[in-house]
Amino acid sequence: MTQKYVYFFGNGQAEGRAEMKNLLGGKGANLAEMTSIGLPVPPGFTITTEVCTEFYKNNQVYPESLTATVAENLKRVEALMGRKFGDPKNPLLVSVRSGARASMPGMMDTILNLGLNDTTVQGIIAQSGDERFAYDAYRRFVQMYSDVVMGMEKDILEHLLEQKKEQRGVHQDTELTAADWRELVGAFKLKIREELGKEFPEDPHEQLWGAIGAVFGSWMNPRAITYRKLNSIPAEWGTAVNVQSMVFGNMGDDCATGVAFTRDPSTGENYFFGEFLVNAQGEDVVAGIRTPQPINRVKDKDGKLPSMEEVLPECYRQLADIRNILEKHYKDMQDIEFTIEKGKLFMLQTRNGKRTAPAAIKIAVDMVKEGLIDEKEAVLRVQPSQLDQLLHPSLDPAAAKQIIAKGLPASPGAVSGQVVFSADEAEAEAKVGKKVILVRIETSPEDIHGMHAAQGILTARGGMTSHAAVVARGMGKCCVAGCGDIKVDYAGETFTARGGVVVKKGDTITLDGSCGDVMLGAVPTVAPAMTGDFAQLMTWVDTYRKLRVRANADTPHDAKVARQFGAAGIGLCRTEHMFFDAERIAAVREMILSEEVEGRERALAKILPMQKGDFIGLFREMKGLPVTIRLLDPPLHEFLPQEEKDLEELSKTMKVPVGALRHKVEFLHEFNPMLGHRGCRLGITFPEIYDMQVRAIMEAACELVKNEGFTIVPEIMIPLIATVKELQVLKQNAVAICDEVVARYGVTLEYLIGTMIELPRAALTADEIAGEAEFFSFGTNDLTQTTFGLSRDDAGKFLPFYVDHGILAEDPFVSLDQNGVGQLVKMAVEKGRATRPKIKLGICGEHGGDPSSVIFCHKAGLDYVSCSPFRVPIARLAAAHAALAP
């Protein structure tokens, strides 16, 4: 049987359905579905994603049967519309749009009004009785086609348009006449020939295949590639192409076009939210060229433009009914596009709407209350990566603010940064660690890389459904759009705000994407709280997840934050972080630089009460929950002074000549410290260091048990074990001290001694190591370094190149390498449990907060993951997704 490459939809019948989005793309599948459920959809057909895949596999050559199949389906559209493609008297015009299986708003190409030429435009005039409309559609087509298909810089024709408006003394496109548009079409074509050395195509069939090829080609354009990387969309998925009969929102005042969301995509409020323009085509709404109007009456009108509910009340009622039909059918918030032609409503798209994290949570919780979905579905509706938006500070309501402008609250959050005016600048400044705010008159898909690099986005034009707003919400970036209070001067690298305030490149501003305020300077922030709908969702999350989530925390403050975010204990306390405290670094250095054991022990005796105090604070914050404390891990040279003045000060304290100290510092320097004298190797050669730490841990625990009635099970973790013999020696020392302290305090206290699995040899011999270790914690940062032979500190120089060129799918320090490092983890789990069936297994590397890595840990059979405090809710949600996955 011949493979089917084209699927038709129209007149209530469709060959596709919503479940076929992998084949038809999201747009094509939903056009078919809307057609099937009786909604007014202009007829058309979808060329499948499989054609895109073959197109790239076969050197951009189409399958043999495609030309004939497209021609057959085009005839079916002609029959339904009563018009003929390319006919001079009664022409059919079509749109050609992309449609990947995952929504990629604005990233790929679209061509409208296709089929127009100098002959068919006369047929459109005859059909519509409106010469101005016909030539407006024609010039739009020439502009889009020359850019998308022919590769001409679009600003060239835009400049001619601006010249015409200036010549005519008008500001809006709508003020130009039929004669103006006719002249511009001719000027556009001359400029295309001048710039490109070829004629604009007149043959509608040549135009159609040029557009189809351009849409398939746009799957690999830079902005689409960037978007896919940011959203983990595989390149092999490909895009579909949708060819659909045109309906026109720009034929007069009884015509319109718009974009709407069935609920507010920023807040999640159950409120029909959207924008439209009278006498316009789709790109006018999202491009920010004209100020869009709300589709319904706003609560406080405040002099705003009249709504669709007032201007086109019957069409609004139809649209509101369709909103309800779509939500009940899809059981999710929908993002819809519509056009009204001569008072008749047409649906051009529906898809699950992009939303902010607060909106995602509210919509999920509300839909459970409304009976549309169950609790499991609500948990799966919110992506773990989205929660990052909620887990960082918002503006302090008590802080002083100098508000210099107000725009639309397009994507919530609060951020401060230095002003930049181009996407390239934003990316460059972010690479050197600067926090920036990207300020644009309006953004375009070409700005995607700068939007990703910036802390937030501010635009002078555009509405709540503009490119900036939609993309920022999808990224979780703070965005204030349509800020008419500012005037941007790219040449002068400034913008002018209310009261003539001039903000220059490099100045700091603050954005509040929740209310649209723009403030001068940096405004203080406050920590987030897990309350309301967020708390409700996380209650459901904890019902379904099986993997426990701990936090990496080194201070009582970190432990408190972690507990507030739902951590089930501490999975990693890095004791070396405590050594850098200003009050104790001198004693640490004295310990390191002492030549004799007695000298080291004297210095360690000064540190002991400090370490003990640290652990008491952690145990108090984590009362009733497990705490894993890692003994000293980094090489000793990291603690030593490098400046001459610091050496001189230490010389006075230790009463040792500066020259002797300098010699010792040079002696301890290591060429490759990550593979050097660190971790358990320090404990073997300088046992007094680990002895002091174990004593501090146990004394802290025993005091709280004896004096405050705590129940504590300290987990003492020995790092960088490569051989079981290392662990045997160090465990024997630790057990002796633990038992001595417990006996001295006269309490009953259970404790565990385990190790980190962070070397390939440890994973390979985990069955032997489990004979001594009562728990394993996978240190995946070092395990990744030692498996790949990479230095995490240096690999940043070339790893981005590897990811950009597909050598590595992702940075292995960000998302766990499941095929390599992951196999070592699985092996160690199996071997460890074979020796000690009830061994406790966790992960404490940075991967513990990465959603895909958390899902891997669930499948590998770990007991818990540990991550930074602010990522605890992300890991909890990812663990629930793992448990609910089919």
Side-chain angles (χ1 to χ4, degrees):
M1 184 178 174
T2 306
Q3 188 167 355
K4 188 173 177 63
Y5 288 121
V6 180
Y7 286 72
F8 183 80
F9 57 87
N11 196 31
Q13 304 293 317
E15 295 174 342
R17 57 186 187 279
E19 293 78 20
M20 296 171 65
K21 70 176 184 177
N22 288 2
L23 182 66
L24 303 180
K27 189 187 294 286
N30 286 324
L31 285 170
E33 189 77 5
M34 285 196 295
T35 301
S36 297
I37 63 175
L39 299 187
V41 176
F45 54 87
T46 300
I47 304 172
T48 69
T49 58
E50 290 178 346
V51 174
C52 185
T53 304
E54 291 198 27
F55 180 71
Y56 283 106
K57 278 183 182 175
N58 299 323
N59 199 26
Q60 301 192 12
V61 174
Y62 297 117
E64 205 171 294
S65 62
L66 187 65
T67 305
T69 311
V70 166
E72 290 167 15
N73 281 274
L74 189 57
K75 283 187 169 60
R76 295 174 72 180
V77 176
E78 290 173 338
L80 283 179
M81 295 300 293
R83 298 172 184 171
K84 187 173 174 55
F85 188 64
D87 186 82
K89 294 183 178 178
N90 189 25
L92 170 72
L93 302 186
V94 297
S95 64
V96 180
R97 288 185 169 97
S98 62
R101 68 169 82 172
S103 175
M104 295 173 58
M107 295 303 111
M108 290 181 293
D109 291 327
T110 292
I111 298 98
L112 303 180
N113 308 311
L114 190 143
L116 278 168
N117 57 29
D118 291 342
T119 304
T120 57
V121 71
Q122 298 304 320
I124 295 297
I125 294 170
Q127 283 177 358
S128 64
D130 187 341
E131 185 182 11
R132 186 198 174 282
F133 150 72
Y135 276 104
D136 178 26
Y138 195 3
R139 69 90 190 175
R140 288 172 186 267
F141 170 55
V142 174
Q143 277 187 281
M144 291 181 103
Y145 196 93
S146 65
D147 168 31
V148 171
V149 182
M150 303 181 77
M152 183 165 159
E153 178 58 52
K154 62 183 174 184
D155 287 347
I156 296 172
L157 298 189
E158 191 65 34
H159 181 64
L160 291 179
L161 173 56
E162 291 303 316
Q163 278 186 327
K164 172 62 73 174
K165 287 195 287 190
E166 189 176 330
Q167 175 193 328
R168 295 273 286 105
V170 300
H171 297 288
Q172 299 289 338
D173 293 0
T174 50
E175 297 174 278
L176 293 175
T177 65
D180 294 329
W181 289 130
R182 187 171 59 248
E183 288 171 18
L184 274 171
V185 168
F188 284 177
K189 288 185 172 185
L190 285 173
K191 181 59 76 172
I192 290 167
R193 184 171 62 194
E194 179 185 313
E195 291 288 328
L196 302 181
K198 57 184 175 182
E199 300 288 343
F200 187 86
E202 290 284 313
D203 179 0
H205 291 279
E206 181 185 344
Q207 295 171 0
L208 176 62
W209 283 102
I212 291 170
V215 171
F216 281 137
S218 71
W219 179 249
M220 286 298 179
N221 71 31
R223 63 179 186 263
I225 291 170
T226 299
Y227 189 91
R228 287 201 298 275
K229 285 178 182 173
L230 296 178
N231 292 275
S232 300
I233 298 171
E236 59 267 22
W237 281 4
T239 182
V241 174
N242 299 285
V243 179
Q244 192 173 15
S245 54
M246 281 294 301
V247 287
F248 300 98
N250 58 332
M251 293 178 74
D253 290 342
D254 57 351
C255 303
T257 190
V259 175
F261 295 83
T262 57
R263 302 189 189 213
D264 190 317
S266 288
T267 67
E269 183 182 1
N270 192 354
Y271 174 74
F272 197 14
F273 173 93
E275 296 171 327
F276 84 113
L277 283 171
V278 172
N279 196 19
Q281 284 199 327
E283 72 269 23
D284 297 338
V285 178
V286 297
I289 296 166
R290 288 168 57 188
T291 302
Q293 300 163 233
I295 62 167
N296 50 22
R297 293 186 182 96
V298 289
K299 292 168 186 175
D300 295 306
K301 289 191 63 175
D302 193 28
K304 291 186 178 178
L305 295 168
S307 67
M308 180 178 164
E309 190 174 3
E310 297 161 300
V311 175
L312 296 163
E314 182 55 39
C315 289
Y316 174 80
R317 280 193 290 274
Q318 290 177 38
L319 191 64
D321 288 343
I322 288 172
R323 169 212 184 193
N324 295 328
I325 290 168
L326 288 173
E327 273 217 348
K328 286 176 183 172
H329 185 78
Y330 286 98
K331 301 184 188 300
D332 200 356
M333 185 266 275
Q334 295 296 292
D335 167 2
I336 62 178
E337 293 179 14
F338 62 91
T339 286
I340 297 165
E341 181 184 294
K342 297 294 183 184
K344 184 175 180 181
L345 176 70
F346 292 94
M347 298 300 298
L348 304 183
Q349 174 176 283
T350 191
R351 59 187 174 191
N352 292 340
K354 297 280 184 188
R355 64 206 77 178
T356 64
I361 290 168
K362 179 168 178 55
I363 290 168
V365 172
D366 283 353
M367 285 189 167
V368 172
K369 294 174 183 174
E370 294 162 21
L372 284 174
I373 60 175
D374 60 20
E375 293 173 6
K376 288 183 181 179
E377 183 61 31
V379 168
L380 292 170
R381 283 282 170 87
V382 181
Q383 294 304 310
S385 56
Q386 285 183 292
L387 294 189
D388 204 30
Q389 298 175 40
L390 296 176
L391 303 176
H392 295 284
S394 56
L395 291 185
D396 182 350
K401 305 177 186 72
Q402 184 184 350
I403 299 172
I404 58 171
K406 191 174 184 70
L408 299 172
S411 185
V415 292
S416 300
Q418 296 180 12
V419 168
V420 296
F421 290 94
S422 79
D424 290 343
E425 281 182 313
E427 187 174 55
E429 295 293 280
K431 280 181 179 175
V432 295
K434 290 185 181 178
K435 294 184 175 181
V436 298
I437 304 291
L438 177 61
V439 180
R440 302 288 291 162
I441 296 172
E442 60 200 16
T443 62
S444 72
E446 283 75 19
D447 293 323
I448 183 75
H449 59 295
M451 295 174 74
H452 175 63
Q455 300 295 306
I457 298 106
L458 170 63
T459 67
R461 297 202 301 229
M464 296 287 281
T465 55
S466 66
H467 174 268
V470 172
V471 173
R473 283 196 292 268
M475 286 183 172
K477 295 280 182 181
C478 172
C479 177
V480 175
C483 186
D485 287 346
I486 69 169
K487 184 175 182 181
V488 178
D489 177 4
Y490 288 146
E493 296 188 314
T494 64
F495 74 81
T496 305
R498 289 178 186 170
V501 174
V502 176
V503 178
K504 303 184 295 296
K505 175 184 170 182
D507 289 349
T508 297
I509 62 171
T510 298
L511 305 181
D512 188 341
S514 301
C515 65
D517 287 344
V518 181
M519 291 147 278
L520 198 61
V523 178
T525 57
V526 293
M530 290 179 57
T531 57
D533 291 332
F534 193 4
Q536 176 63 76
L537 182 78
M538 296 311 291
T539 300
W540 296 335
V541 162
D542 292 340
T543 300
Y544 298 112
R545 68 182 170 90
K546 294 179 173 59
L547 201 62
R548 292 189 295 280
V549 179
R550 298 192 194 182
N552 300 340
D554 311 324
T555 67
H557 174 265
D558 288 347
K560 185 175 183 178
V561 171
R563 190 151 194 169
Q564 288 170 345
F565 281 130
I570 292 176
L572 175 64
C573 167
R574 307 172 186 88
T575 54
E576 61 272 8
H577 287 191
M578 301 165 174
F579 281 26
F580 285 102
D581 185 271
E583 293 181 5
R584 62 189 79 173
I585 190 64
V588 173
R589 288 169 173 172
E590 182 183 338
M591 178 269 294
I592 295 168
L593 295 169
S594 295
E595 293 291 346
E596 305 296 333
V597 172
E598 292 77 9
R600 288 196 292 274
E601 288 179 338
R602 279 195 303 272
L604 288 165
K606 299 176 187 178
I607 301 170
L608 173 63
M610 301 177 191
Q611 282 259 280
K612 180 176 163 182
D614 295 327
F615 300 138
I616 285 174
L618 283 175
F619 288 142
R620 278 208 177 105
E621 289 295 343
M622 282 291 162
K623 185 176 182 179
L625 296 176
V627 175
T628 303
I629 298 171
R630 182 179 73 187
L631 302 183
L632 190 66
D633 183 45
L636 295 179
H637 80 272
E638 289 192 8
F639 302 99
L640 295 180
Q642 303 300 318
E643 301 292 331
E644 191 68 21
K645 61 181 175 56
D646 294 328
L647 276 172
E648 290 171 0
E649 192 174 315
L650 191 60
S651 169
K652 292 174 187 174
T653 303
M654 294 183 67
K655 298 181 175 54
V656 174
V658 172
L661 291 180
R662 191 182 300 112
H663 174 74
K664 188 66 181 282
V665 169
E666 290 169 358
F667 173 75
L668 287 172
H669 175 75
E670 298 189 41
F671 289 105
N672 197 342
M674 291 310 301
L675 300 179
H677 193 188
R678 54 168 287 220
C680 68
R681 300 158 192 172
L682 287 172
I684 294 285
T685 52
F686 300 113
E688 56 274 9
I689 299 176
Y690 277 15
D691 288 352
M692 178 277 292
Q693 291 193 295
V694 172
R695 182 167 283 109
I697 293 166
M698 294 305 292
E699 287 186 1
C702 288
E703 280 192 18
L704 290 171
V705 170
K706 186 171 186 174
N707 300 333
E708 301 182 30
F710 272 46
T711 300
I712 301 173
V713 181
E715 298 178 358
I716 300 168
M717 185 157 68
I718 299 170
L720 213 72
I721 290 293
T723 73
V724 70
K725 191 65 177 174
E726 290 169 315
L727 185 55
Q728 284 170 347
V729 171
L730 293 171
K731 181 181 178 183
Q732 185 176 353
N733 291 352
V735 167
I737 292 169
C738 290
D739 291 347
E740 180 271 318
V741 173
V742 170
R744 175 156 46 90
Y745 275 85
V747 297
T748 301
L749 178 67
E750 183 186 351
Y751 60 87
L752 301 177
I753 295 178
T755 188
M756 294 186 81
I757 302 293
E758 48 191 331
L759 297 174
R761 193 181 191 282
L764 292 166
T765 60
D767 48 347
E768 296 176 10
I769 292 172
E772 297 291 336
E774 293 168 294
F775 65 86
F776 287 167
S777 181
F778 291 93
T780 51
N781 299 342
D782 273 351
L783 190 57
T784 298
Q785 290 193 108
T786 51
T787 302
F788 272 93
L790 289 173
S791 164
R792 183 171 53 158
D793 296 327
D794 299 320
K797 297 171 184 174
F798 63 87
L799 273 183
F801 182 92
Y802 270 46
V803 174
D804 288 345
H805 289 77
I807 296 167
L808 289 174
E810 293 182 87
D811 183 331
F813 294 109
V814 174
S815 192
L816 187 69
D817 164 44
Q818 296 180 18
N819 290 334
V821 177
Q823 295 310 305
L824 289 171
V825 172
K826 285 182 177 179
M827 180 187 299
V829 168
E830 292 168 8
K831 284 177 171 284
R833 286 210 168 113
T835 298
R836 190 185 293 263
K838 294 188 178 179
I839 191 170
K840 188 182 290 188
L841 301 171
I843 179 177
C844 63
E846 290 301 312
H847 300 104
D850 169 62
S852 67
S853 304
V854 172
I855 292 169
F856 168 83
C857 292
H858 169 89
K859 292 177 180 175
L862 270 60
D863 297 306
Y864 69 88
V865 297
S866 189
C867 57
S868 65
F870 281 98
R871 295 192 74 80
V872 166
I874 296 172
R876 288 163 63 195
L877 181 55
H881 277 222
L884 292 172

